[in-house]
Amino acid sequence: MKTGAWATLVRWLDRCAPPLAFVGLLLVWEGGVRIFAVPSFLLPAPSAIVTALLATPLPVWAGHVWATLRVALMGYALAIVVAVPLAVGLATSRFLSRTLYPILVVVQSTPIVAVAPIIVVTLGASDLPRVVITFLITFFPIVVSTVTGLLATPEELIELSRSLRAGRRREILHVRLPFALPHLFSALKISTTLAVIGAVVAEFVAAEKGLGFFIAFSTSYFKIPTAFAGLVVLVSISLILFRLIGFVQKAFAPWSLPKSER
């Protein structure tokens, strides 16, 4: 009986540990700010952030969220459209790999925050430079992970497909790409959060709407609780997008998930 009760308690703690840890962190944060009387313009308490979140009208939030989400999704979609075929080319052609991979590494090594103002000056103040900045931040992880997955296909499967006279196209579509799906979905999950970061970085440089602009504007007027509220909304968007990719993977490619997550 005691063993059963203990096992139930362990299972409950295992299931509830993440939210309990999060609530505990918020309580420590709230208590610390109140006990040490930290000014809200230095570090607002969670209760002050919630108050600022609720004080901002819903249409204002909707306008900024849509501006950021639109740019993030366009840059993310463009990254997928470009990165996956490029990864196939890099994985199947030694010439392309030797030619393009060093260029990709150079592009990825360039600090996007430093390049962002140049991109805005070159492409103007429309959505285009923000989409390009988001694309530059998100596409590299997708390329690298997809190439890794394509090249990790077991040689036995490749030999089997060739023995059955499968062409190069069928080999890629029916053997290599399915095997690369776990790598691809891992990259897509990482890139969703990077897409939101890219959109916000672009809005810091030049924008009249969006959560990045909202946070920068609030900070410039020392409305730190409001800036934190914008940050909470940003994190929420990233988490929702991350979970959406997980749902898509579970619905359309459950075999690519670990057994514990199916």
Side-chain angles (χ1 to χ4, degrees), residues 156-167 171:
E156 306 85 62
L157 293 179
I158 303 297
E159 292 299 326
L160 179 62
S161 69
R162 288 175 183 170
S163 69
L164 296 174
R165 298 183 180 178
E171 176 188 313

Side-chain angles (χ1 to χ4, degrees), residues 149-178:
L150 291 169
L151 294 179
T153 307
E155 281 300 321
E156 306 85 62
L157 293 179
I158 303 297
E159 292 299 326
L160 179 62
S161 69
R162 288 175 183 170
S163 69
L164 296 174
R165 298 183 180 178
R168 197 59 179 267
R169 185 178 174 185
R170 293 192 69 180
E171 176 188 313
I172 293 170
L173 291 178
H174 297 287
V175 180
R176 289 187 181 271
L177 273 178

Side-chain angles (χ1 to χ4, degrees), residues 58-73 199 203 209-212 214 230 233-234 237:
L58 191 57
V60 174
W61 281 126
H64 289 300
V65 167
W66 172 240
T68 300
L69 194 59
R70 187 181 70 242
V71 171
L73 291 180
E203 288 166 0
K209 217 168 185 57
L211 290 169
F214 179 81
V233 176
L234 266 179
I237 291 174

Side-chain angles (χ1 to χ4, degrees), residues 230-254:
L231 194 60
V232 169
V233 176
L234 266 179
V235 172
S236 302
I237 291 174
S238 294
L239 292 176
I240 291 170
L241 292 176
F242 187 89
R243 293 295 297 173
L244 277 177
I245 297 299
F247 287 137
V248 170
Q249 184 178 11
K250 196 168 185 176
F252 295 101

Side-chain angles (χ1 to χ4, degrees), residues 4 7 15 19 28 38 52 54-55 76 81 88 101 107 109 136 157 159 170 182 187 190 214 216 232 250:
R15 189 169 57 250
V28 170
V38 180
L54 298 176
Y76 185 61
V81 169
V88 172
Y101 207 81
V107 171
S109 302
L136 290 174
L157 293 179
E159 292 299 326
R170 293 192 69 180
I190 295 170
F214 179 81
V232 169
K250 196 168 185 176

Side-chain angles (χ1 to χ4, degrees), residues 10-167:
V10 169
R11 282 198 299 272
W12 183 83
L13 285 175
D14 182 62
R15 189 169 57 250
C16 299
L20 287 176
F22 183 69
V23 171
L25 177 64
L26 291 180
L27 290 175
V28 170
W29 182 355
E30 180 82 27
V33 169
R34 289 177 181 270
I35 290 170
F36 296 104
V38 180
S40 64
F41 62 86
L42 291 180
L43 180 64
S47 58
I49 296 171
V50 172
T51 302
L53 182 69
L54 298 176
T56 305
L58 191 57
V60 174
W61 281 126
H64 289 300
V65 167
W66 172 240
T68 300
L69 194 59
R70 187 181 70 242
V71 171
L73 291 180
M74 285 193 291
Y76 185 61
L78 182 62
I80 295 173
V81 169
V82 174
V84 174
L86 181 61
V88 172
L90 293 175
T92 55
S93 169
R94 188 170 178 272
F95 174 76
L96 282 178
S97 179
R98 285 174 56 84
T99 307
L100 296 181
Y101 207 81
I103 298 174
L104 294 177
V105 173
V106 170
V107 171
Q108 180 63 21
S109 302
T110 306
I112 299 301
V113 177
V115 178
I118 301 172
I119 294 175
V120 170
V121 170
T122 305
L123 299 180
S126 62
D127 279 349
L128 181 60
R130 294 191 278 276
V131 171
V132 170
I133 291 168
T134 305
F135 164 78
L136 290 174
I137 289 180
T138 53
F139 95 107
F140 191 76
I142 301 175
V143 171
V144 172
S145 293
T146 308
V147 169
T148 302
L150 291 169
L151 294 179
T153 307
E155 281 300 321
E156 306 85 62
L157 293 179
I158 303 297
E159 292 299 326
L160 179 62
S161 69
R162 288 175 183 170
S163 69
L164 296 174
R165 298 183 180 178

